[in-house]
């Protein structure tokens, strides 16, 4: 058994052809090494700064206000924090119930209605509040 040599010197006149396939193995090896280096070096590159913050002042955060709920019952009666009101005096009663020194319309009021309330009665309350510039939020119960 012998090896067949090829080349111009004889032995069949066969020549070695060039391999034109891309060999990506060295490229992958280099990329994996670089990935490991960056994974090790990245946590070391983070800089932590020590901050000495002043203690919070006791008057910095005001206590949250109790929200104002306007309740509409199925009979069409309107209640603001348990006090009955009418559609004609709803805006004034709402402002009186808010107990604010600034504009009443800057506060948010929440409207809730019983399921049996007629749509017309509900929309009268909503329109009256929006006409007077109040920010209105609606409340509902979760359906299970």
């Amino acid at each position: 058994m012998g090896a067949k040599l090829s080349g111009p010197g004889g032995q069949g006149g066969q020549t070695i052809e060039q391999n034109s396939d891309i060999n990506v193995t060295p490229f992958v090896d280099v990329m994996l090494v670089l990935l490991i280096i960056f994974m090790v070096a990245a946590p070391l590159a983070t800089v932590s700064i020590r901050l000495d913050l002043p203690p919070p002042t006791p008057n910095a955060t005001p206590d949250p206000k109790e929200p104002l709920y306007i309740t509409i019952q199925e009979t069409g009666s309107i209640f603001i924090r348990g006090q009955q009101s009418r559609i004609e005096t709803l805006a004034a009663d709402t402002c009186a119930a808010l107990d604010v020194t600034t504009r009443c319309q800057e506060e948010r009021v929440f409207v809730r209605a019983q399921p049996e309330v007629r749509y017309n009665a509900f929309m009268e309350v909503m329109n009256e509040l929006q006409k007077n510039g109040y920010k209105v939020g609606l409340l509902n119960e979760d359906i299970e």
Side-chain angles (χ1 to χ4, degrees):
M1 293 219 186
K4 184 175 182 183
L5 297 175
S6 62
Q11 297 192 7
Q14 297 176 354
T15 59
I16 298 176
E17 295 183 18
Q18 290 184 349
N19 185 4
S20 62
D21 293 337
I22 298 174
N23 189 2
V24 295
T25 305
F27 177 70
V28 171
D29 291 342
V30 169
M31 286 294 123
L32 288 175
V33 169
L34 287 175
L35 177 66
I36 292 171
I37 289 172
F38 283 124
M39 287 174 58
V40 170
L44 301 175
T46 58
V47 178
S48 62
I49 300 173
R50 186 174 184 322
L51 294 177
D52 293 324
L53 297 175
T57 57
N59 296 336
T61 57
D63 293 332
K65 296 180 183 178
E66 181 181 337
L68 178 66
Y69 296 109
I70 298 175
T71 306
I72 308 170
Q73 292 186 343
E74 63 183 74
T75 60
S77 302
I78 303 168
F79 288 90
I80 302 172
R81 285 197 178 143
Q83 301 294 323
Q84 189 166 3
S85 179
R86 297 183 328 208
I87 195 72
E88 295 83 16
T89 61
L90 181 63
D93 293 343
T94 302
C95 190
L98 282 171
D99 296 327
V100 293
T101 57
T102 60
R103 294 187 48 201
C104 298
Q105 288 80 8
E106 294 177 0
E107 300 293 324
R108 182 173 301 275
V109 295
F110 295 96
V111 177
R112 58 185 171 192
Q114 293 180 341
E116 295 82 16
V117 171
R118 296 183 51 89
Y119 181 74
N120 187 30
F122 176 76
M123 286 310 295
E124 280 181 344
V125 172
M126 290 292 295
N127 289 336
E128 185 67 25
L129 290 171
Q130 289 179 349
K131 181 175 72 173
N132 288 294
Y134 286 99
K135 298 176 186 174
V136 180
L138 300 178
L139 297 177
N140 67 345
E141 294 180 9
D142 293 335
I143 299 173
E144 294 181 21

Coordinates of all heavy atoms in Angstrom, one line a residue, residues 53-93:
L53 N -28.2 60.8 51.5 CA -29.4 61.6 51.4 C -29.9 62.2 52.7 O -29.8 61.5 53.7 CB -30.5 60.8 50.7 CG -30.2 60.2 49.3 CD1 -31.4 59.3 48.9 CD2 -30.1 61.4 48.4
P54 N -30.5 63.4 52.7 CA -31.0 63.9 53.9 C -32.2 63.2 54.4 O -32.9 62.6 53.5 CB -31.3 65.4 53.6 CG -31.5 65.4 52.1 CD -30.6 64.3 51.6
P55 N -32.5 63.2 55.6 CA -33.7 62.4 56.1 C -35.0 63.2 55.6 O -34.9 64.4 55.4 CB -33.6 62.5 57.6 CG -32.7 63.7 57.9 CD -31.8 63.8 56.7
P56 N -36.1 62.5 55.4 CA -37.3 63.1 54.9 C -37.9 64.0 56.0 O -37.8 63.8 57.2 CB -38.2 62.0 54.6 CG -37.7 60.8 55.5 CD -36.2 61.0 55.6
T57 N -38.4 65.2 55.5 CA -39.0 66.1 56.5 C -40.4 65.6 56.8 O -41.1 65.0 56.0 CB -39.1 67.5 55.8 OG1 -39.8 67.4 54.6 CG2 -37.7 68.0 55.6
P58 N -40.8 65.8 58.0 CA -42.1 65.3 58.4 C -43.3 65.9 57.6 O -44.3 65.3 57.5 CB -42.2 65.6 59.9 CG -41.2 66.6 60.2 CD -40.2 66.5 59.1
N59 N -43.2 67.1 57.1 CA -44.3 67.7 56.4 C -44.2 67.6 54.9 O -44.9 68.3 54.2 CB -44.4 69.2 56.8 CG -44.7 69.4 58.3 OD1 -45.3 68.5 58.9 ND2 -44.3 70.5 58.9
A60 N -43.3 66.8 54.4 CA -43.0 66.7 53.0 C -44.2 66.1 52.2 O -44.5 66.5 51.2 CB -41.7 66.0 52.7
T61 N -44.7 65.0 52.8 CA -45.8 64.3 52.1 C -47.1 64.5 52.9 O -47.3 64.1 54.0 CB -45.5 62.8 52.0 OG1 -45.3 62.3 53.3 CG2 -44.3 62.6 51.2
P62 N -48.1 65.2 52.3 CA -49.3 65.4 52.9 C -50.1 64.1 53.0 O -50.0 63.3 52.1 CB -50.1 66.5 52.1 CG -49.4 66.3 50.7 CD -48.0 65.9 51.0
D63 N -51.0 64.0 53.9 CA -51.8 62.8 54.0 C -52.8 62.8 52.9 O -53.4 63.9 52.5 CB -52.6 62.8 55.3 CG -51.7 62.6 56.5 OD1 -50.7 62.0 56.3 OD2 -52.0 63.1 57.6
P64 N -53.0 61.7 52.2 CA -54.0 61.7 51.1 C -55.4 62.0 51.6 O -55.8 61.5 52.7 CB -53.9 60.2 50.6 CG -53.3 59.4 51.7 CD -52.5 60.4 52.5
K65 N -56.1 62.7 50.8 CA -57.5 63.1 51.2 C -58.4 61.9 50.9 O -58.2 61.1 50.1 CB -57.9 64.3 50.3 CG -57.1 65.5 50.5 CD -57.6 66.6 49.7 CE -56.8 67.9 49.9 NZ -57.2 69.0 49.0
E66 N -59.5 61.9 51.7 CA -60.5 60.9 51.5 C -61.2 61.3 50.2 O -61.6 62.4 50.0 CB -61.5 60.9 52.6 CG -62.5 59.9 52.5 CD -63.5 59.9 53.7 OE1 -63.1 60.4 54.8 OE2 -64.6 59.4 53.5
P67 N -61.4 60.3 49.3 CA -62.1 60.6 48.0 C -63.6 61.0 48.2 O -64.2 60.5 49.2 CB -61.9 59.4 47.2 CG -61.6 58.3 48.2 CD -61.0 58.9 49.3
L68 N -64.1 61.8 47.3 CA -65.5 62.2 47.4 C -66.3 61.3 46.5 O -66.0 61.2 45.3 CB -65.6 63.7 47.0 CG -67.1 64.2 47.0 CD1 -67.6 64.2 48.4 CD2 -67.1 65.5 46.3
Y69 N -67.2 60.6 47.1 CA -68.1 59.7 46.3 C -69.5 60.3 46.2 O -70.1 60.7 47.2 CB -68.2 58.3 47.0 CG -66.9 57.6 47.2 CD1 -66.3 57.4 48.4 CD2 -66.3 57.0 46.0 CE1 -65.1 56.7 48.5 CE2 -65.1 56.3 46.1 CZ -64.5 56.2 47.4 OH -63.4 55.5 47.5
I70 N -70.0 60.3 45.0 CA -71.3 60.7 44.7 C -72.1 59.4 44.3 O -71.8 58.8 43.4 CB -71.4 61.7 43.6 CG1 -70.6 63.0 44.0 CG2 -72.9 62.1 43.2 CD1 -70.5 64.0 42.9
T71 N -73.1 59.1 45.1 CA -73.9 57.9 44.9 C -75.2 58.2 44.4 O -75.9 59.1 44.9 CB -74.0 57.1 46.3 OG1 -72.7 57.0 46.9 CG2 -74.7 55.8 46.1
I72 N -75.6 57.4 43.4 CA -76.9 57.6 42.8 C -77.7 56.3 43.1 O -77.3 55.2 42.8 CB -76.9 57.8 41.2 CG1 -75.9 58.9 40.9 CG2 -78.2 58.0 40.7 CD1 -75.6 59.0 39.4
Q73 N -78.9 56.4 43.7 CA -79.7 55.3 44.1 C -80.7 55.0 43.0 O -80.9 55.8 42.1 CB -80.3 55.5 45.4 CG -79.4 55.5 46.6 CD -80.0 55.6 47.9 OE1 -81.2 55.9 48.0 NE2 -79.3 55.3 49.0
E74 N -81.3 53.8 43.1 CA -82.2 53.4 42.0 C -83.5 54.4 41.9 O -84.1 54.5 40.9 CB -82.7 52.0 42.2 CG -83.4 51.7 43.4 CD -83.8 50.3 43.6 OE1 -82.9 49.5 43.9 OE2 -85.0 50.0 43.4
T75 N -83.8 55.1 43.0 CA -84.9 56.0 43.0 C -84.6 57.3 42.3 O -85.4 58.2 42.1 CB -85.4 56.3 44.4 OG1 -84.3 56.8 45.2 CG2 -85.9 55.0 45.1
G76 N -83.3 57.5 42.0 CA -82.8 58.8 41.4 C -82.3 59.7 42.5 O -81.8 60.8 42.1
S77 N -82.3 59.3 43.7 CA -81.7 60.2 44.8 C -80.2 60.2 44.7 O -79.6 59.2 44.4 CB -82.1 59.6 46.2 OG -83.5 59.5 46.3
I78 N -79.7 61.4 44.9 CA -78.2 61.6 44.8 C -77.7 61.9 46.2 O -78.3 62.7 47.0 CB -77.9 62.8 43.9 CG1 -78.5 62.6 42.5 CG2 -76.4 63.1 43.8 CD1 -78.5 63.8 41.7
F79 N -76.6 61.2 46.6 CA -76.0 61.4 47.9 C -74.6 61.7 47.8 O -73.8 61.1 47.0 CB -76.2 60.1 48.8 CG -77.6 59.9 49.2 CD1 -78.5 59.1 48.5 CD2 -78.0 60.4 50.4 CE1 -79.8 58.9 48.9 CE2 -79.3 60.2 50.9 CZ -80.2 59.4 50.1
I80 N -74.1 62.8 48.5 CA -72.7 63.1 48.6 C -72.3 62.9 50.0 O -72.7 63.7 50.9 CB -72.5 64.6 48.1 CG1 -73.1 64.8 46.7 CG2 -71.1 65.0 48.2 CD1 -73.1 66.3 46.3
R81 N -71.4 62.0 50.2 CA -70.9 61.6 51.5 C -72.0 61.4 52.5 O -72.0 61.9 53.7 CB -69.9 62.6 52.1 CG -68.6 62.6 51.4 CD -67.5 63.3 52.2 NE -66.3 63.2 51.6 CZ -65.4 64.1 51.5 NH1 -65.6 65.3 52.1 NH2 -64.2 63.9 50.9
G82 N -73.1 60.8 52.1 CA -74.2 60.4 53.0 C -75.2 61.5 53.1 O -76.3 61.3 53.6
Q83 N -75.0 62.7 52.5 CA -75.9 63.8 52.6 C -76.7 63.9 51.2 O -76.1 63.9 50.2 CB -75.2 65.2 52.8 CG -74.4 65.2 54.1 CD -75.3 65.2 55.3 OE1 -76.4 65.7 55.3 NE2 -74.9 64.5 56.3
Q84 N -78.0 64.0 51.3 CA -78.8 64.0 50.1 C -78.6 65.3 49.4 O -78.5 66.4 50.0 CB -80.3 63.7 50.4 CG -81.1 63.5 49.2 CD -82.4 62.9 49.4 OE1 -82.8 62.7 50.6 NE2 -83.2 62.6 48.4
S85 N -78.6 65.3 48.1 CA -78.5 66.4 47.3 C -79.5 66.3 46.1 O -80.1 65.3 45.9 CB -77.1 66.6 46.7 OG -77.0 67.7 45.9
R86 N -79.7 67.4 45.4 CA -80.5 67.4 44.2 C -79.7 67.8 43.0 O -78.6 68.4 43.1 CB -81.7 68.4 44.3 CG -82.6 68.1 45.5 CD -83.7 69.1 45.5 NE -83.2 70.4 45.1 CZ -83.7 71.5 45.4 NH1 -84.7 71.6 46.2 NH2 -83.2 72.7 45.0
I87 N -80.2 67.5 41.8 CA -79.4 67.8 40.6 C -79.2 69.4 40.4 O -78.2 69.8 39.9 CB -80.1 67.2 39.3 CG1 -79.2 67.2 38.1 CG2 -81.4 68.0 39.0 CD1 -78.1 66.2 38.2
E88 N -80.1 70.2 40.9 CA -80.0 71.6 40.8 C -78.9 72.2 41.7 O -78.3 73.2 41.3 CB -81.3 72.3 41.2 CG -82.5 72.0 40.3 CD -83.2 70.7 40.6 OE1 -83.0 70.2 41.7 OE2 -83.9 70.2 39.7
T89 N -78.6 71.6 42.8 CA -77.6 72.1 43.7 C -76.4 71.1 43.8 O -75.6 71.3 44.7 CB -78.2 72.2 45.1 OG1 -78.7 70.9 45.6 CG2 -79.4 73.2 45.1
L90 N -76.3 70.3 42.8 CA -75.2 69.3 42.9 C -73.8 69.9 42.9 O -72.9 69.5 43.6 CB -75.3 68.3 41.7 CG -74.3 67.2 41.6 CD1 -74.4 66.3 42.8 CD2 -74.5 66.4 40.3
A91 N -73.6 70.9 42.0 CA -72.3 71.5 41.9 C -71.9 72.2 43.2 O -70.8 72.1 43.7 CB -72.2 72.5 40.7
A92 N -72.8 73.0 43.8 CA -72.5 73.7 45.0 C -72.3 72.7 46.2 O -71.4 72.9 47.0 CB -73.7 74.7 45.3
D93 N -73.2 71.7 46.3 CA -73.0 70.7 47.3 C -71.7 69.9 47.2 O -71.1 69.6 48.2 CB -74.2 69.7 47.3 CG -75.5 70.4 47.7 OD1 -75.5 71.5 48.3 OD2 -76.6 69.8 47.4

